[in-house]
């Protein structure tokens, strides 16, 4: 039964996720944390951080990890299929439609209007992860780490994967001493 739920959870997240991989993350979080309760927010944040540090699309890595955790090899396979196949089929079909109606004001309008919705989903996910972090680290340390990460990524142009690795090192080496 868990493998079927893995398939259904990732299928729903990927059918409703519009705008690329990052737009599916809040939907996946909703399925994984809220609906099926396979993980809590902190565990999901850790999975997201590790997935971002590794090469490849984040959605398939999350589907593979959660699928394997919940349903073994079958769950892994169904999670990946539910994540990749709908997008691949939709991409092929939509490319045909978009090429036909590329200059349509309706298509341009649909694309522009959905972007603020995706932004809100990302803000809500960020707020939940930030809130969970403050419970574990406290507000001051959370804000300092967030600001240092922002500075490293935006100002110093350090790759986000390296910032995530640095955060893991900080959490593994410095935090146990505090």
């Amino acid at each position: 039964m868990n493998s079927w739920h893995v398939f259904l959870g990732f299928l729903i997240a990927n059918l409703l996720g519009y705008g690329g991989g990052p737009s599916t993350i809040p939907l996946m979080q909703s399925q994984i944390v809220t609906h099926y309760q396979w993980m809590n927010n902190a565990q999901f944040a850790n999975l997201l951080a590790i997935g971002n540090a590794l090469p490849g699309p984040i959605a398939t890595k999350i589907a593979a990890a959660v699928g394997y955790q919940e349903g073994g090899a079958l769950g892994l396979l169904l999670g990946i299929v539910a994540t990749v196949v709908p997008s691949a089929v939709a991409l092929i079909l939509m490319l045909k439609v978009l090429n036909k109606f590329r200059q349509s004001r309706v298509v341009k309008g649909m694309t522009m209007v959905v972007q603020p919705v995706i932004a809100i989903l990302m803000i809500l996910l960020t707020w939940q992860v930030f809130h969970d972090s403050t419970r574990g680290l406290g507000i001051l340390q959370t804000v300092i780490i967030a600001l240092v990460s922002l500075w490293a990524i935006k100002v110093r142009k350090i790759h986000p994967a390296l910032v995530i690795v640095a955060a893991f090192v900080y959490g593994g080496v410095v935090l146990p001493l505090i």
Side-chain angles (χ1 to χ4, degrees):
M1 193 58 142
N2 271 355
S3 294
W4 168 247
H5 288 154
V6 166
F7 178 79
L8 196 58
F10 284 102
L11 182 69
I12 289 169
N14 286 286
L15 285 177
L16 299 176
Y18 177 83
S23 68
T24 63
I25 292 171
L27 298 171
M28 286 183 164
Q29 184 266 349
S30 174
Q31 292 293 313
I32 293 167
V33 175
T34 306
H35 186 71
Y36 290 108
Q37 300 178 342
W38 293 321
M39 295 181 168
N40 60 35
N41 274 324
Q43 292 168 323
F44 183 79
N46 287 337
L47 176 63
L48 186 62
I50 293 169
N52 273 326
L54 298 172
I58 186 69
T60 53
K61 290 179 282 189
I62 290 174
V66 173
Y68 185 74
Q69 174 187 304
E70 294 302 316
L74 181 61
L76 181 148
L77 180 66
L78 290 175
I80 291 174
V81 166
T83 301
V84 173
V85 171
S87 299
V89 170
L91 178 66
I92 292 167
L93 295 175
M94 290 190 74
L95 279 176
K96 290 183 178 192
V97 172
L98 284 176
N99 281 335
K100 189 172 184 177
F101 300 105
R102 180 173 296 230
Q103 299 304 320
S104 165
R105 293 175 63 164
V106 172
V107 171
K108 287 180 181 177
M110 289 169 58
T111 303
M112 288 173 51
V113 169
V114 79
Q115 290 173 352
V117 175
I118 293 169
I120 292 299
L121 288 172
M122 297 301 289
I123 289 169
L124 291 173
L125 176 62
T126 302
W127 175 252
Q128 286 175 339
V129 171
F130 183 81
H131 185 263
D132 289 346
S133 179
T134 60
R135 276 195 252 150
L137 296 172
I139 187 79
L140 182 62
Q141 196 166 196
T142 298
V143 169
I144 290 171
I145 291 170
L147 291 174
V148 168
S149 299
L150 178 66
W151 171 81
I153 293 169
K154 283 300 200 184
V155 176
R156 299 294 300 170
K157 307 291 184 202
I158 296 172
H159 193 280
L162 296 176
V163 175
I164 290 169
V165 169
F168 278 133
V169 170
Y170 175 80
V173 174
V174 176
L175 277 187
L177 301 175
I178 297 176

